[in-house]
């Protein structure tokens, strides 16, 4: 790890003013479970590290009429043990203890989980987010891409968005709040993730001097939701396919659906096609299968990852069936 | 050893170096702070308020490890794991992956298991750090350590300290863990030799007797 200077502000405005107006010089340190690894591998080499854990009002959870507020510094471990999450957002409660390991969850924060960088091995080995060789040839498209994107991969970005919590958070309708020198911003969580087109662009709608302050999940008492993920190893590994589903029913038919896939594209991938396929339908094996087919119709696998199309389909079908049966598989 | 270790080494601190290494010298002379180039924090203004900036050189730090106070001058980039092992000779926590991916460096931070390699030492100040070294009391193994012996839960032993600490944390949280609690609670530790069955038996032994 390269040397850096370390500062630990205790207010948001201090933290914001310590960040620079361009990427590269300063980085925010939350749990450090991703950032320190990137720094050890010299993928990121900030001159200044801003530890934001001393900012008290970014910690912890609260509820009001808008929904459930999760401070950016709340650890995944505390969230997994939280009674409100278990009671009101059971599909999120199920996703949490599958993410990473207990030791990581005790350090890792929700804000860091949303901002964690892709696990693409080209990126992690210093070839950039949109890896190219000296002649400008794209490396991932015809290279080692068995864990890469099958959707949204038309441009140079072939990595997959790494959080396993984000698909179900988006399905629940979560919003993200940011704060920077120009004030606060709030928007639906799916808008936070963007597909970079040029090297140097980030995969988040986050300015270099902004911090993620909070995630808000609206009330979900009338929602039937489920999270489903497929991993090569059961624990302590990154998944191959993730699906988050939230259904609102009228009688036994779907009134509205929110369907989001993870680990298939450079961003979390909502599927309006699958949502449309379920509209007004009862949930059974056939309708779930049809929705899953619809979600993957436009998939364009790379040279070594066609198997992921079927995995994504299966994850989605199972998540839909699980949601309809009240979240139990 | 990984190449990047070279970045962290102080050339004067090489145990292979000629004469008495600095660490040996400090031990002999009983001086705890004798390193040049230690600078106090620089104070700068941020949003109209004063904040302290530490490093990139060595800064004085203080830790509470196994109930005792420790002091050292360290650069902010030093991880808790490297501080424990290289500064305080607490080598129970092992440096295996150094990437938050194996569990060999597991320690307790305010009684919760964390990877010491995934945390900077500077952030671990003012927290209660517990390492595997503290589990033995009055020459007697901790019940979970004894259970590892009784159930042959160790082969090469390199993962064992991390597993022992993770098992202790698991049993503190779930004194009578279900198989699911055990699966999840120990999912952050890997054993290359495959001692998992023995470790599960060790947990069962302690859960029955009570720790
Ligand atoms: C072995 C292993 C397995 C894993 N498995 C999973 C898994 O199954 N599912 C999953 O979802 N994740 C998984 N992860 C990733 C893990 O969840 C993330 O590393 C963690 O959530 C990052 O949070 P942190 O607080 O440690 O972030 P840090 O490492 O501190 O920061 C990560 C990035 O986010 C930025 N950042 C952090 N907080 C903020 C903020 N408030 N505002 C703006 N920027 C910020 C930092 O500058 C940095 O760029 C795994 C990690 C490991 C090592
Ligand atoms: S050495 Fe820390 S987890 Fe492997
Ligand atoms: S006993 Fe050898 S790695 Fe676990």
């Amino acid at each position: 790890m390269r040397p850096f200077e370390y500062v630990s502000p205790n207010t948001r405005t201090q933290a914001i003013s310590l960040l620079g107006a361009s990427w590269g010089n300063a980085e925010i340190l939350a749990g450090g479970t991703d950032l320190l690894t990137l720094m050890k591998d010299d993928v990121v080499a900030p001159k200044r590290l801003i530890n934001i854990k001393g900012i008290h009002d970014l910690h912890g959870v609260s509820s009001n009429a808008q929904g459930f507020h999760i401070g950016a510094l709340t650890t995944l471990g505390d969230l997994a043990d939280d009674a409100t999450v278990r009671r009101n957002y059971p599909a999120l409660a199920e996703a949490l203890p599958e993410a990473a390991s207990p030791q990581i969850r005790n350090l890792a924060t929700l804000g860091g989980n949303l901002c964690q960088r892709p696990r693409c091995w080209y990126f992690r080995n210093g070839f950039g987010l949109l890896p190219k060789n000296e002649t400008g040839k794209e490396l991932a498209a015809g290279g080692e891409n068995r864990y890469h994107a099958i959707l949204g991969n038309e441009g140079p970005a072939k990595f997959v968005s790494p959080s396993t919590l984000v698909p179900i958070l988006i399905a629940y309708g979560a919003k993200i709040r940011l704060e920077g020198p120009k004030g606060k911003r709030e928007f639906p969580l799916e808008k936070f993730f963007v597909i970079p087109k040029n090297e140097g662009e980030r995969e988040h709608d986050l300015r270099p001097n902004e911090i993620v302050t909070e995630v808000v999940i609206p009330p979900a008492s009338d929602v039937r939701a489920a999270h489903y993920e497929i991993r090569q190893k059961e624990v302590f590994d990154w998944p191959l396919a993730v699906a988050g589903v939230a259904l609102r029913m009228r009688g036994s038919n779907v009134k509205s659906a929110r369907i989001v896939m993870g680990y298939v594209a450079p961003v979390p991938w909502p599927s309006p096609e699958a949502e449309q396929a379920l509209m007004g339908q009862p949930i059974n094996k056939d309708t779930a299968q049809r929705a899953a087919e619809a979600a993957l119709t436009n998939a364009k696998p790379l040279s070594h990852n066609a198997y992921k199309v079927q995995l994504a389909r299966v994850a989605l079908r199972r998540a839909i069936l699980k949601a309809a049966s009240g979240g139990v598989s | 050893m990984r190449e990047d270790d070279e970045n962290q080494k102080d050339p004067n601190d090489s145990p292979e170096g000629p004469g008495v290494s600095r660490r040996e010298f400090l031990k002999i002379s009983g001086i705890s702070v004798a390193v040049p180039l230690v600078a106090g924090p620089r104070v700068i203004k941020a949003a109209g308020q004063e904040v302290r900036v530490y490093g990139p050189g060595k800064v004085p730090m203080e830790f509470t490890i196994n109930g005792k106070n420790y002091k050292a001058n360290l650069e902010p980039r030093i991880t808790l794991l490297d501080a424990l092992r290289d500064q305080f000779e607490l080598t129970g926590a092992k440096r295996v992956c150094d990437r938050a991916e194996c569990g060999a460096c597991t320690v307790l931070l305010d009684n919760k298991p964390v990877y010491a390699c995934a945390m900077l030492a500077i952030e671990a100040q003012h927290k209660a750090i517990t390492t595997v070294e503290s589990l033995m009391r009055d020459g007697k193994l901790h019940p979970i350590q004894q259970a590892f012996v009784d159930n042959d839960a160790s082969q090469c032993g390199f993962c064992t300290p991390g597993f022992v600490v993770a098992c202790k944390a698991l049993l503190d949280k779930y004194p009578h863990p279900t198989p699911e609690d055990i699966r999840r609670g120990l999912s952050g530790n890997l054993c290359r030799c495959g001692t998992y069955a023995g470790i599960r038996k060790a947990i069962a032994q302690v859960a029955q007797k009570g720790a």
Side-chain angles (χ1 to χ4, degrees), chain A residues 1-11 13-15 17-18 29-33 36-37 40-41 48-49 51 53 75 77-78 81 86 94 97-98 100-107 119 234-236 238, chain B residues 2 4 7-8 42 44 46-47 49-56 75-77 79 98-103 106 109 112-115 117-120 122-123 166 173-174 180 183-190:
Chain A
M1 216 189 295
R2 289 174 194 266
F4 53 82
E5 61 177 37
Y6 173 93
V7 52
S8 190
N10 42 40
T11 68
T13 39
Q14 281 176 3
S17 78
L18 289 162
L29 173 72
T33 59
L36 294 184
T37 291
K40 287 173 189 173
D41 292 334
R48 172 185 286 173
L49 217 56
N51 171 29
K53 287 191 294 297
T75 64
D78 284 345
D81 289 339
R86 289 193 187 174
E94 204 166 312
E98 299 297 337
S101 71
Q103 290 94 326
I104 291 172
R105 292 193 298 274
N106 284 335
L107 294 173
R119 308 303 310 189
E234 205 180 347
V235 288
F236 211 7
W238 287 273
Chain B
R2 306 184 90 107
D4 61 350
N7 297 335
Q8 301 197 344
R42 202 157 50 85
I44 61 168
Q49 287 148 320
E50 294 191 336
V51 292
R52 290 183 203 160
V53 180
Y54 297 88
E75 292 177 37
R77 65 176 164 160
T79 62
D98 200 28
R99 296 291 183 282
E101 288 175 8
C102 76
T106 302
L109 188 81
K112 287 186 182 172
V114 300
Y115 298 140
C117 73
M119 174 165 212
L120 295 173
I122 195 167
E123 300 178 80
K173 191 166 176 186
Y174 305 101
E180 179 67 7
R183 184 184 74 82
R184 284 207 168 132
L186 296 186
S187 63
N189 295 70
L190 297 180

Side-chain angles (χ1 to χ4, degrees), chain A residues 8-9 17-18 74 108 113 144 160 167 192 196 250 275 292 294 328:
Chain A
S8 190
S17 78
L18 289 162
T74 311
N113 188 272
E144 294 289 345
V160 292
F192 183 59
R250 185 179 291 124
E275 291 164 6
V328 269

Side-chain angles (χ1 to χ4, degrees), chain B residues 8 29 32 34 67-68 94 104 106 142-143 145 147 151 157 171 173 176 180 186 197 204 210-211:
Chain B
Q8 301 197 344
S29 61
S32 60
K68 285 190 216 127
K94 298 284 179 269
T106 302
H142 184 280
Q145 290 173 310
N151 293 282
L171 286 160
K173 191 166 176 186
H176 300 286
E180 179 67 7
L186 296 186

Side-chain angles (χ1 to χ4, degrees), chain B residues 153-160 163 190-195 199:
Chain B
S154 188
Q155 285 186 40
C156 80
F158 220 74
C159 70
T160 308
F163 258 112
L190 297 180
C191 172
R192 190 74 165 87
C193 302
T195 58
I199 293 171

Side-chain angles (χ1 to χ4, degrees), chain A residues 148-162:
Chain A
H148 287 72
I150 53 173
L151 283 160
N153 56 7
E154 297 78 15
K158 308 287 191 235
F159 61 86
V160 292
S161 184

